[in-house]
Amino acid sequence: MSNERLTTVEEAEEINRRPGVLSITLGELLDTQARNHPDNDALVYVDRGLRYTYEQFNQVCRTAAKGFMKLGIKKGEHVAIWATNVPEWAVTQFSTGKMGAVLVTVNTNYRIFELEYLLRQSDSTTLILIDGWKDASYTGMINELCPELKDLAPGKLNSERLPSLKNVIFLGENCPPGMFSWDQLLDMGKTVSDEELDERQDSLDADDVINMQYTSGTTGFPKGVMLTHINIINNAIATANCMNFSYQDRLCIPVPFFHCFGCVLGTLTCVVSGATMVPVVAYNPIQVLEAIEKERCTGVHGVPTMFIAELSLPEFDKFDLTSLGLELWPVPRVPLNP
Amino acid sequence: MAGSPCPIESMKQVVDRMGANEITITYGQTEASPAITMTKTDDPIELRVASVGRNIPGVEVKIVDPETGRDVPRGVQGELCARGYNVMKGYYKMPEATHAAIDAKQWLHTGDLATMDENGYCKITGRVKDMIIRGGENIYPREVEEFLYTHPQILDVQVVGVPDIKYGEEVMAYIRLREGIKLTEEEVKAFCDGKIARFKIPRYVQVIDEFPMTGSGKIQKYKLREMAVESLGLQKAASIETA
């Protein structure tokens, strides 16, 4: 694989202890952790009994990466994801990181006007989405934007309003017409060789943009913030250091993946440490406490309003939270007042 | 946390009741990947509840006068700027916005107001863009908000500048009250009278149930401003163009 470029990396458990700026890609990072902590839990979902070790997580990310390559997605192409913290989100983050597509994260609260703006402005060629969330139908909105979608074969979209968009990938049961299902993507991935993926991964530069997030636009139109492998991996390392994080830690992640707090300070901070990600699909205080208790989480992320919600549950004292030591409370620009 | 009583109290509860004795706070923004400063698990508890910590390794932080761009002395409020490996490559297809955010020497201008103490610990005190200019006087909404928080019946408050024909801008406070409580505009003004400078006393006070928020939970002050223009009939003042 990419061993030559990793000669400067010490043992994986020391990645987050290494001084200076680490110049590796997301794909190289995950390969390294899968070699050094193959049997450690990487990703665990309490609500659906899903558990991937680092070895398994790396394998599923490799298969999905090959699926994106089979779709013809090139290095630097933009792949948007519009979903709650489902397992496929984390897999997409690292699989696009392996094959070099830029992951464009879409706010789960967006509605049709914002979605159209984001997909157009970002030149996304692929949209990955769930059926919907709360009272919003994501599939309804994409069909409204691209009424031709349902009558075309998957991957053949040619929309007037969204000229760049070709592929729509659906996460969940009962894949609507015109879209690929996640299973189809994984099946396509099985037809691409490991060598082709390794070659692609080796062709990436740690200075390449790999992640794009739209700032919430407290003023004016949302702007796509371009972040490189170096940007986010090193920021996760610094965060892991401040949290005194190691491969023995298990982090409950109830904050949204679409935001840096979820996908850098959350998932990536775990992966640079070889630690375990325990996401909650959509914020719910009971589920957070359940996840902490069942998985013996040593840390939990949150904003003040989340912690307040957890503390004010009548059942709060019934949960065993003795595993917990660490919390991360970010100050997004201005301190939040709960 | 800028000495704001609510969050500090909540943080203490998180430490005491959740057993999170290693609680850490990070400050940042997406443009900085996001972390810029962070408290460490071994920082003294006072600093872990009342500051956003120091610059993370490999990232430089400085506080500058937003007008002149010069460094301000320790303890003085200014705009927090960051430089290092964590600063974004830019905004996609928006070179002008990128140049406005990252200067020629690669400093990212966060738009956030902060102070830094002798040991490098920072406190976030407000936003540059939120600054209200009323008849030439600069008013930091955060300061007025901090004061109004001390009113026992006020649960939460947001202060914004609204257009005004005479002064350019006027101070407006949107307040959330504790359940079952009534508070009039006059009572709020009377509470301020003599305790803060007259020009900072909100000209308008309105009670609100919830603040408009972005998807990621940031309060949208510009929406509050729009609401104020609508409800107070300030369209004429709002349409005045300035150089």
Side-chain angles (χ1 to χ4, degrees):
Chain A
M1 241 171 272
S2 331
N3 289 318
E4 314 81 54
R5 294 183 61 185
L6 283 175
T7 47
T8 55
V9 180
E10 293 146 28
E11 289 300 307
E13 54 263 48
E14 281 162 23
I15 279 188
N16 73 16
R17 304 273 182 248
R18 193 180 168 280
V21 173
L22 188 58
S23 184
I24 61 170
T25 64
L26 283 176
E28 291 166 336
L29 169 71
L30 185 57
D31 284 345
T32 308
Q33 299 299 46
R35 274 199 303 275
N36 289 288
H37 296 290
D39 302 324
N40 211 15
D41 285 340
L43 185 65
V44 176
Y45 281 81
V46 169
D47 67 338
R48 56 197 72 193
L50 182 144
R51 187 177 301 272
Y52 285 139
T53 63
Y54 267 93
E55 169 63 31
Q56 291 165 333
F57 183 59
N58 194 34
Q59 278 311 319
V60 72
C61 289
R62 287 182 64 87
T63 306
K66 291 191 279 187
F68 290 128
M69 289 170 70
K70 186 72 180 182
L71 282 179
I73 299 172
K74 306 265 184 306
K75 180 162 92 176
E77 230 176 278
H78 291 182
V79 172
I81 185 161
W82 194 21
T84 49
N85 291 3
V86 291
E88 295 90 343
W89 207 113
V91 172
T92 300
Q93 181 183 4
F94 288 91
S95 53
T96 50
K98 282 175 175 292
M99 50 69 66
V102 176
L103 183 67
V104 180
T105 73
V106 187
N107 189 316
T108 49
N109 297 300
Y110 271 12
R111 294 296 182 266
I112 193 161
F113 178 79
E114 295 142 324
L115 178 72
E116 181 180 8
Y117 170 82
L118 180 143
L119 291 174
R120 284 182 72 96
Q121 208 279 335
S122 68
D123 301 312
S124 291
T125 64
T126 303
L127 172 66
I128 304 171
L129 81 178
I130 55 175
D131 188 36
W133 186 50
K134 287 187 177 169
D135 60 340
S137 166
Y138 294 179
T139 47
M141 283 186 255
I142 193 67
N143 276 302
E144 196 179 328
L145 285 176
C146 308
E148 58 277 73
L149 175 67
K150 60 183 186 310
D151 301 319
L152 296 168
K156 300 287 183 221
L157 185 60
N158 187 4
S159 158
E160 221 170 278
R161 281 171 92 170
L162 300 171
S164 304
L165 191 65
K166 299 282 169 255
N167 311 303
V168 180
I169 301 172
F170 181 76
L171 307 176
E173 307 278 314
N174 304 322
C175 182
M179 305 183 193
F180 293 107
S181 71
W182 181 255
D183 285 344
Q184 277 175 299
L185 179 83
L186 295 180
D187 284 342
M188 283 187 276
K190 288 168 191 155
T191 68
V192 174
S193 72
D194 283 334
E195 290 71 28
E196 284 171 84
L197 173 60
D198 291 342
E199 197 181 316
R200 173 73 70 90
Q201 184 172 307
D202 287 348
S203 76
L204 308 185
D205 191 308
D207 265 319
D208 291 339
V209 173
I210 198 65
N211 186 295
M212 209 158 92
Q213 303 178 30
Y214 278 74
T215 53
S216 313
T218 40
T219 50
F221 278 101
K223 300 184 275 287
V225 175
M226 297 186 289
L227 299 173
T228 66
H229 299 265
I230 287 181
N231 282 154
I232 58 175
I233 289 175
N234 287 281
N235 209 243
I237 291 172
T239 306
N241 261 322
C242 286
M243 290 164 62
N244 200 20
F245 228 45
S246 84
Y247 66 94
Q248 292 168 314
D249 279 296
R250 305 170 70 80
L251 180 68
C252 179
I253 311 172
V255 292
F257 283 167
F258 69 77
H259 191 275
C260 260
F261 195 15
C263 69
V264 180
L265 305 181
T267 57
L268 201 48
T269 293
C270 287
V271 173
V272 299
S273 312
T276 306
M277 305 172 254
V278 186
V280 172
V281 169
Y283 180 74
N284 169 314
I286 289 267
Q287 283 180 10
V288 173
L289 298 178
E290 275 172 1
I292 295 168
E293 180 180 75
K294 285 195 182 139
E295 285 301 316
R296 306 294 301 154
C297 291
T298 58
V300 55
H301 278 356
V303 295
T305 40
M306 289 183 174
F307 289 123
I308 305 294
E310 289 148 28
L311 286 163
S312 41
L313 282 175
E315 307 92 321
F316 178 83
D317 292 321
K318 293 193 191 124
F319 288 95
D320 174 8
L321 306 176
T322 49
S323 57
L324 214 54
L326 196 92
E327 314 257 347
L328 183 68
W329 178 325
V331 180
R333 308 187 73 114
V334 179
L336 288 171
N337 292 300
Chain B
M1 283 273 204
S4 174
C6 300
I8 291 178
E9 185 48 41
S10 314
M11 280 201 53
K12 284 184 179 153
Q13 281 209 38
V14 173
V15 174
D16 293 344
R17 294 186 59 206
M18 290 180 110
N21 50 351
E22 296 189 340
I23 189 164
T24 57
I25 293 189
T26 183
Y27 154 78
Q29 57 183 221
T30 306
E31 287 86 342
S33 293
I36 296 172
T37 69
M38 195 159 172
T39 58
K40 298 183 78 150
T41 53
D42 55 3
D43 278 333
I45 186 74
E46 308 82 62
L47 287 166
R48 280 193 281 134
V49 299
S51 88
V52 294
R54 288 188 279 196
N55 58 316
I56 57 171
V59 174
E60 297 171 84
V61 170
K62 67 175 182 179
I63 314 285
V64 303
D65 183 322
E67 298 300 315
T68 64
R70 291 211 187 96
D71 287 21
V72 296
R74 295 291 168 112
V76 173
Q77 173 173 270
E79 184 179 19
L80 191 147
C81 299
R83 180 165 74 177
Y85 65 78
N86 64 333
V87 173
M88 65 168 177
K89 229 167 193 178
Y91 295 116
Y92 184 61
K93 294 202 302 191
M94 291 185 178
E96 281 177 24
T98 302
H99 292 312
I102 304 172
D103 69 23
K105 290 179 179 161
Q106 302 306 311
W107 286 98
L108 171 71
H109 291 250
T110 63
D112 291 324
L113 293 168
T115 59
M116 188 193 285
D117 74 9
E118 292 299 326
N119 299 315
Y121 287 88
C122 297
K123 289 183 187 195
I124 305 300
T125 52
R127 279 191 58 71
V128 176
K129 282 185 216 141
D130 289 339
M131 195 171 70
I132 301 167
I133 306 176
R134 181 189 180 275
E137 291 273 14
N138 291 354
I139 301 170
Y140 293 110
R142 186 87 198 156
E143 191 188 341
V144 182
E145 288 164 7
E146 295 284 345
F147 173 73
L148 290 173
Y149 271 129
T150 64
H151 191 294
Q153 307 304 351
I154 293 179
L155 189 63
D156 208 348
V157 54
Q158 289 289 315
V159 167
V160 295
V162 296
D164 186 79
I165 290 172
K166 187 171 175 190
Y167 291 106
E169 275 187 298
E170 264 293 0
V171 180
M172 162 134 199
Y174 278 98
I175 54 176
R176 287 176 58 213
L177 296 174
R178 297 197 186 279
E179 249 182 68
I181 296 296
K182 283 199 167 44
L183 203 59
T184 66
E185 179 166 311
E186 293 317 311
E187 284 167 332
V188 173
K189 287 181 185 175
F191 176 73
C192 299
D193 197 26
K195 297 206 195 79
I196 57 173
R198 178 148 295 180
F199 70 89
K200 293 181 192 167
I201 297 178
R203 161 92 179 272
Y204 310 104
V205 179
Q206 275 185 14
V207 176
I208 191 169
D209 290 332
E210 292 291 337
F211 298 125
M213 302 262 217
T214 67
S216 53
K218 291 180 203 167
I219 292 166
Q220 291 167 304
K221 286 210 170 184
Y222 76 98
K223 281 214 173 141
L224 288 172
R225 236 168 263 133
E226 288 170 7
M227 287 158 55
V229 169
E230 203 56 37
S231 69
L232 299 170
L234 302 174
Q235 290 87 350
K236 192 176 167 205
S239 67
I240 297 172
E241 284 187 37
T242 51

